[in-house]
Amino acid sequence: MLHSTVKCFSAIVLILLSATIQCENILFLQTTPSRSHHIWNKQIFNRLYENGHNLTILTFEQEQSIPGKSFFYVPRLYARTMAEFAAENNAESVMGPIGNIINMYSFYEKASRLLAQEPVIQHLMNYPRTFKFDLIIHDFTMGQFLLGFVERFGNPPLVSVSAFNIPSYTMHLADIPVRFTTLPNYACEYGQPMNFLERISNMFYWMLDFYHRQFKFMVAEDGRVGELFGSNSTSVKIIEKRSSIVLVNSDFTMDYHQALPPNVIPVGGLHISRPEKVPQIISDFMDMPSKGVVLLSFGTNVQSEGLGKHINEAILKTFTNLPEYNFIWKHGDPESLGTVSPNILVQKWIPQGAILSDPRTKLLIGHGGLLGLQEATWYGVPTIGIPFFADQLQNVDKLVRGGGGLRLFLDELDENTLKQAIDSILLDKNYQQNMAARSRLFRKQPQPPLERAIFWIEKVLNIKGLPYLASPTQDIPFYQLYGIDLIGATILIIVTIHILCKLALSFSFNKQI
């Protein structure tokens, strides 16, 4: 009888504990108007919802609100931001590192300015000040003005996340030692180690990045915070440092060696586990006899139909002249291509992860987006990278250095160069073997990346922050952190001793005379 009573009491306690955990309110502030970033973030907020948490989510992709998961939708922010770019003639297909850095922060600033004017921001502002969010998750890729909501809702714990690898400015959120001499900036295509000239230019790129982020973009973000939340609002430079943990889309099997503090947690590839249904038309096409399937997809931000007639014709002719392979092509306007060869399937949307996971897929032709390359690496699929902007150039460079694929620039692409690249990879088994080796390293983890991300987020929720992970150097001045004051004091002491010794010797010499 006593045993039954104890069991019943234990069950009641577990139910009450579960109810306590499940009533947590989370505000998820997405900031990057990119479908790929949404896909990555979606794995996190869907799993948190499945675990019983209530979520309020700022989104740039239309989603259906349901009890416990409310979406504040901002339409066409990416299109509107890019329209401003086009008006300024800044949207170059390939740019150097300097243009890459400047244009990235220009994009961030334009997107923030447009987002700050959206009705959904005012809707959040109108929430009662007594409303409690137990946690705020912020996509720190951009949109730092949204950190004003941290103080607006009473300073709940803050978790920062980014699908953009380890952004160069992560060092401002956590105590990441950035060594300009060993860590290439995202905008350049250097390996590790770098030669002397590469180190000089890399240091310049880091300094340019630092300047545009801290002294231009973040100043503008503080201005927006002042307009929205009041002139006495805390600087977002300070608020971002309150991040309990920073989740980054990185894995060292693919990325540069970089020292990370304990509150910066790599969860690279957490999106790969998402279930995707393969449409019957794609499934039937892949069942057709062939030597294998080749997938061409430029992701969510680069559209094949926007590359021009010349490029589309070159791709089409190349695929047609390789009838022994089946080609699946993600294209927003299939009708513009006319009648295509039976070995070509053109679709407006494709389940990229599901196709790459099929062993019949032999090659990916893509733009070098990080999520796509992570999927290709996970499934061991060699890749031809055609980079356009941002981190895509460096992503493809890492791929090539690792022996997992080849690179083509858009202005080099024609029927001959594309066919040569395809033949090189499909006929040389080294590419497949290298990607298979990288796949084994990527997959061999103590826990799936998504489970690791959720574990740490819920730990922040349960403990109400993780202050013991915060670095004591966060608030130390630059000159103290790098020992400049100690070096200066040491030099001063040495110089003083040297002068005193000279004076003493001079006095002694004069006395003897």
Side-chain angles (χ1 to χ4, degrees):
M1 180 70 177
L2 180 61
H3 179 67
S4 299
T5 303
V6 171
K7 286 180 67 177
C8 182
F9 178 76
S10 300
I12 293 172
V13 169
L14 286 173
I15 292 171
L16 290 174
L17 285 174
S18 299
T20 301
I21 294 173
Q22 290 179 353
C23 69
E24 306 283 11
N25 293 320
I26 300 173
L27 175 61
F28 199 124
L29 296 171
Q30 297 193 89
T31 63
T32 311
S34 164
R35 189 176 182 186
S36 58
H37 282 249
H38 179 79
I39 289 171
W40 195 85
N41 289 327
K42 185 176 182 177
Q43 311 316 305
I44 298 174
F45 64 68
N46 274 354
R47 180 61 62 85
L48 290 171
Y49 171 75
E50 292 168 4
N51 287 0
H53 303 294
N54 300 317
L55 287 112
T56 301
I57 303 161
L58 179 65
T59 180
F60 308 101
E61 298 292 324
Q62 201 153 15
E63 298 268 5
Q64 182 65 45
S65 293
I66 57 177
K69 188 162 59 173
S70 301
F71 292 96
F72 289 170
Y73 173 53
V74 179
R76 299 186 66 255
L77 183 62
Y78 180 79
R80 287 182 283 143
T81 305
M82 291 307 295
E84 289 201 8
F85 256 85
E88 296 179 4
N89 296 316
N90 281 334
E92 300 292 337
S93 60
V94 179
M95 63 192 79
I98 294 175
N100 207 341
I101 293 169
I102 294 173
N103 282 350
M104 182 181 74
Y105 286 112
S106 178
F107 177 86
Y108 287 1
E109 194 282 328
K110 288 176 172 59
S112 282
R113 176 166 44 80
L114 293 172
L115 179 57
Q117 301 167 6
E118 286 294 316
V120 297
I121 302 301
Q122 192 58 50
H123 186 72
L124 271 175
M125 292 288 297
N126 291 336
Y127 266 46
R129 289 190 174 272
T130 54
F131 190 88
K132 179 186 177 185
F133 281 111
D134 302 287
L135 177 72
I136 292 180
I137 301 176
H138 175 254
D139 180 352
F140 75 99
T141 309
M142 53 191 289
Q144 272 64 29
F145 80 92
L146 292 172
L147 289 170
F149 284 111
V150 174
E151 292 196 338
R152 173 67 175 76
F153 290 116
N155 290 298
L158 173 66
V159 168
S160 294
V161 304
S162 179
F164 185 37
N165 203 274
I166 305 177
S168 55
Y169 38 87
T170 309
M171 62 179 176
H172 302 299
L173 284 72
D175 183 26
I176 295 182
V178 176
R179 299 182 178 93
F180 306 146
T181 55
T182 61
L183 182 65
N185 184 273
Y186 85 94
C188 59
E189 302 165 74
Y190 299 151
Q192 287 182 312
M194 295 175 279
N195 62 40
F196 180 73
L197 293 178
E198 287 174 341
R199 294 199 303 273
I200 291 176
S201 58
N202 185 60
M203 182 177 68
F204 171 76
Y205 299 145
W206 274 103
M207 292 172 63
L208 182 67
D209 191 325
F210 181 90
Y211 167 74
H212 274 275
R213 207 265 180 174
Q214 294 300 100
F215 295 102
K216 294 190 72 176
F217 173 68
M218 291 296 275
V219 170
E221 293 296 272
D222 274 338
R224 272 181 274 277
V225 169
E227 293 173 2
L228 286 169
F229 300 96
S231 58
N232 294 326
S233 299
T234 303
S235 169
V236 291
K237 293 181 183 179
I238 295 175
I239 297 176
E240 69 179 2
K241 292 179 183 292
R242 299 175 187 170
S243 302
S244 294
I245 56 172
V246 182
L247 302 179
V248 291
N249 187 25
S250 174
D251 189 276
F252 291 123
T253 59
M254 301 174 60
D255 297 318
Y256 295 129
H257 175 272
Q258 183 176 1
L260 299 178
N263 62 334
V264 177
I265 302 161
V267 289
L270 65 75
H271 64 291
I272 296 174
S273 61
R274 71 189 190 279
E276 289 185 301
K277 184 178 179 181
V278 179
Q280 191 63 45
I281 187 173
I282 295 179
S283 179
D284 292 342
F285 180 78
M286 294 184 72
D287 288 339
M288 292 170 53
S290 71
K291 288 185 176 181
V293 173
V294 176
L295 171 63
L296 189 157
S297 172
F298 290 129
T300 58
N301 295 328
V302 178
Q303 307 299 329
S304 292
E305 62 274 19
L307 301 181
K309 184 177 180 181
H310 170 72
I311 296 295
N312 277 263
E313 287 181 349
I315 294 172
L316 191 60
K317 288 179 181 178
T318 303
F319 291 174
T320 302
N321 292 331
L322 291 168
E324 64 272 29
Y325 293 96
N326 289 336
F327 293 87
I328 300 175
W329 185 357
K330 179 180 176 290
H331 195 291
D333 187 13
E335 292 78 15
S336 66
L337 299 175
T339 303
V340 299
S341 173
N343 71 319
I344 303 172
L345 177 65
V346 185
Q347 294 285 288
K348 290 184 177 181
W349 175 87
I350 54 99
Q352 179 171 291
I355 294 173
L356 290 174
S357 69
D358 193 301
R360 292 172 293 186
T361 302
K362 305 301 181 184
L363 172 65
L364 168 67
I365 304 172
H367 64 305
L370 181 59
L371 273 64
L373 286 182
Q374 286 176 335
E375 289 175 337
T377 301
W378 187 271
Y379 297 117
V381 179
T383 301
I384 296 173
I386 305 173
F388 290 83
F389 50 74
D391 62 328
Q392 297 166 10
L393 292 94
Q394 190 178 87
N395 294 339
V396 175
D397 183 68
K398 292 176 186 176
L399 171 80
V400 173
R401 290 177 187 272
L406 295 172
R407 177 182 61 193
L408 272 179
F409 286 118
L410 190 64
D411 57 4
E412 301 172 337
L413 195 152
D414 58 32
E415 186 179 348
N416 293 326
T417 56
L418 181 57
K419 185 178 185 303
Q420 184 179 3
I422 292 173
D423 286 339
S424 296
I425 289 184
L426 294 179
L427 298 178
D428 187 344
K429 296 300 181 185
N430 286 325
Y431 291 104
Q432 196 280 326
Q433 291 170 1
N434 290 337
M435 284 299 273
R438 287 163 67 94
S439 174
R440 287 191 294 272
L441 293 173
F442 194 10
R443 287 169 173 259
K444 202 168 184 63
Q445 302 186 36
Q447 63 186 149
L450 180 58
E451 300 301 327
R452 182 160 59 251
I454 299 302
F455 166 81
W456 281 104
I457 291 173
E458 294 191 325
K459 187 169 184 177
V460 173
L461 264 173
N462 293 336
I463 303 177
K464 309 303 179 186
L466 301 177
Y468 65 91
L469 291 182
S471 171
T473 66
Q474 282 288 82
D475 299 317
I476 295 177
F478 176 84
Y479 64 88
Q480 289 184 19
L481 179 62
Y482 292 97
I484 296 174
D485 56 340
L486 299 178
I487 295 172
T490 302
I491 293 172
L492 181 62
I493 291 170
I494 293 172
V495 170
T496 301
I497 292 173
H498 177 72
I499 292 173
L500 290 175
C501 288
K502 285 188 68 175
L503 289 174
L505 288 172
S506 176
F507 177 78
S508 175
F509 178 77
N510 290 334
K511 189 174 181 181
Q512 289 177 6
I513 293 176

